[in-house]
């Protein structure tokens, strides 16, 4: 495997000021890929990760090589300044906490692209219907995110990146990546096209969806049926979607989640069999929630699980298997935290 630090030639006439808030596995993968392609990247980080990135840049082990990418990193958005595009790559439950830090990075024309797991706070924004404008209480109690982040500046995104931190500022991501982008109101805009073009030029495949909530449901379902069960079982994606002990449980959850997605009018690209086949083909990858559980970090149960049950209650769709699995994971998480003080963590 080759090791490279050189960056390709970059056309400065088309450059964007790119901010990445959150230096976990996804944030570092995105920042390193863009910086290696010659984009100017400003990374909001903290703790050991901030120090490592400031000293050595980001190390990203990919399928074909390992790159070392320098980025501008700081703990406060005031040091990074206003951005043209700001990718939010924190855990969903950390979004409210980073609002003060990212405020100086957001101007009136900044495009905000949340790359987060689970049901996003913006789900009911930009489209008509009886639930239009509603906050998702599980992920945005009392609508704090809705008030702080202008919905007209948000671009919906669905991220398919399998990555794992190996050390502060070092990430392994060897599977194919994909970002799907879409306006919340399902229009197609020049800003959307420009961001997608920038990502594709950097070697990070991106496509535009005219109905962003359709691929979003694919990711919501994939997260729902893999993350919580992985914490209970300790299983990798390959095992979850192929082991004869676990696969029947996964199938039951898939059926519940597919019924819910249909109630919200989602047009799914994949049927349950295709989802199972693709997930099993990911190999011995640990889910992000299993990684967090192993490290004693907070779990994204609100966005990945609780918010789905909230959507189910709004449509009166029963999800008994999912409800039981989430109850077990909540109990496990509660007892683990009672036995051991929480760790500080870089996101």
């Amino acid at each position: 495997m080759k090791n490279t630090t050189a960056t390709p030639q970059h056309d400065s006439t088309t450059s964007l000021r790119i901010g990445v808030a959150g230096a976990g596995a996804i944030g570092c993968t995105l920042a390193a890929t863009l910086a290696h392609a010659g984009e100017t990247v400003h990374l909001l980080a903290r703790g050991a990760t901030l120090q490592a990135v400031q000293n050595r840049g980001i190390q990203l082990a990919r399928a074909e090589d390992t790159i070392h990418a320098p980025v501008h990193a700081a703990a406060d958005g005031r040091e990074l300044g206003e951005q043209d595009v700001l990718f939010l790559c924190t855990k969903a439950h950390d979004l409210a906490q980073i609002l003060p830090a990212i405020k100086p990075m957001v101007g009136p024309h900044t495009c905000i692209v949340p790359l987060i797991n689970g049901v996003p706070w913006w789900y009911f924004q930009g489209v008509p219907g009886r639930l239009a404008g509603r906050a998702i209480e599980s992920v945005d109690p009392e609508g704090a995110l809705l008030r702080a982040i202008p919905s007209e500046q948000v671009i919906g995104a669905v991220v398919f990146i399998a990555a794992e931190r190996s050390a502060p500022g070092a990430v392994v991501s060897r599977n194919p990546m994909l970002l799907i982008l879409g306006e919340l109101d399902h229009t197609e805009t020049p800003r959307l096209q420009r961001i997608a073009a920038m990502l594709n030029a950097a070697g990070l495949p991106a496509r535009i969806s005219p109905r962003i909530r359709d691929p979003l449901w694919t990711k919501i379902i994939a997260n729902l049926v893999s993350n919580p069960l992985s914490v209970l079982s300790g299983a990798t994606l390959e095992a979850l979607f192929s082991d004869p002990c676990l696969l029947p449980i996964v199938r039951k959850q898939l059926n519940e989640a597919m019924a819910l997605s249909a109630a919200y009018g989602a047009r799914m690209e994949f049927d349950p069999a295709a989802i199972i086949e693709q997930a099993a083909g990911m190999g011995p990858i640990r889910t992000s929630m299993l990684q967090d559980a192993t490290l004693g970090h907070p779990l994204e149960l609100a966005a990945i699980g609780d918010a789905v049950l909230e959507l189910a209650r709004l449509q009166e769709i029963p999800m008994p298997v999912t409800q039981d699995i989430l109850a077990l994971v909540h109990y496990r998480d509660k007892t683990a935290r009672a036995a051991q003080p929480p760790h500080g963590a870089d996101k």
Side-chain angles (χ1 to χ4, degrees):
M1 179 179 295
K2 62 183 179 178
N3 195 300
T4 178
T5 57
T7 53
Q9 292 296 314
H10 181 261
D11 181 1
S12 61
T13 62
T14 62
S15 64
L16 294 166
R17 283 182 61 85
I18 299 168
V20 177
I26 300 300
C28 280
T29 298
L30 177 68
T33 303
L34 293 175
H36 183 67
E39 295 289 349
T40 301
V41 179
H42 303 86
L43 178 67
L44 191 68
R46 63 185 184 183
T49 297
L50 173 60
Q51 185 175 2
V53 172
Q54 288 178 329
N55 291 338
R56 301 184 298 275
I58 300 172
Q59 176 182 296
L60 173 61
R62 305 187 292 189
E64 67 279 10
D65 60 12
T66 296
I67 62 174
H68 291 80
V71 300
H72 303 277
D76 193 306
R78 289 174 293 186
E79 298 181 47
L80 301 175
E82 188 175 308
Q83 308 294 309
D84 295 313
V85 184
L86 179 60
F87 293 96
L88 303 182
C89 301
T90 67
K91 299 294 185 182
H93 50 252
D94 287 332
L95 280 174
Q97 298 174 25
I98 69 161
L99 289 175
I102 67 171
K103 188 175 181 180
M105 303 174 73
V106 178
H109 303 293
T110 302
C111 295
I112 301 167
V113 187
L115 304 184
I116 56 175
N117 279 328
V119 180
W121 83 90
W122 52 259
Y123 185 86
F124 289 123
Q125 312 309 306
V127 289
R130 69 180 178 89
L131 300 172
R134 183 188 183 101
I136 309 287
E137 288 293 323
S138 300
V139 293
D140 188 18
E142 301 178 356
L145 293 173
L146 286 179
R147 291 193 301 272
I149 303 175
S151 294
E152 64 272 14
Q153 291 181 237
V154 174
I155 289 179
V158 185
V159 54
F160 293 96
I161 297 176
E164 187 167 352
R165 276 201 323 179
S166 55
V171 186
V172 178
S173 183
R174 294 197 169 102
N175 284 308
M177 305 178 191
L178 173 65
L179 288 180
I180 304 176
L181 306 175
E183 295 284 359
L184 303 193
D185 62 0
H186 297 166
T187 59
E188 188 164 334
T189 60
R191 68 178 187 176
L192 190 60
Q193 295 169 340
R194 188 178 185 191
I195 294 171
M198 177 269 295
L199 291 166
N200 280 304
L204 206 166
R207 62 181 175 89
I208 293 172
S209 171
R211 287 169 49 93
I212 189 60
R213 289 162 183 82
D214 289 349
L216 175 62
W217 268 106
T218 299
K219 183 63 184 294
I220 288 172
I221 291 171
N223 276 326
L224 179 70
V225 303
S226 60
N227 278 274
L229 189 56
S230 74
V231 173
L232 293 178
S233 64
T236 64
L237 284 175
E238 183 178 45
L240 282 170
F241 289 87
S242 62
D243 187 276
C245 294
L246 299 174
L247 187 54
I249 302 173
V250 169
R251 290 187 187 279
K252 290 175 184 177
Q253 276 199 282
L254 270 174
N255 290 336
E256 292 180 354
M258 295 291 282
L260 180 61
S261 70
Y264 280 96
R267 303 171 185 171
M268 303 295 292
E269 294 183 19
F270 303 101
D271 60 17
I275 292 174
I276 290 170
E277 181 181 1
Q278 288 199 7
M282 295 292 288
I285 298 293
R286 298 190 305 164
T287 69
S288 60
M289 190 177 287
L290 179 56
Q291 294 178 48
D292 287 338
T294 302
L295 294 171
H297 294 172
L299 306 184
E300 289 185 286
L301 286 169
I304 288 176
D306 300 342
V308 176
L309 294 181
E310 181 178 336
L311 295 185
R313 288 192 295 272
L314 291 173
Q315 296 286 8
E316 298 184 353
I317 300 290
M319 300 187 73
V321 176
T322 298
Q323 187 171 334
D324 288 348
I325 288 173
L326 289 173
L328 289 169
V329 181
H330 271 294
Y331 178 78
R332 182 195 181 281
D333 186 48
K334 180 179 68 174
T335 55
R337 296 198 162 282
Q340 180 178 335
H343 294 231
D346 300 309
K347 298 296 177 195

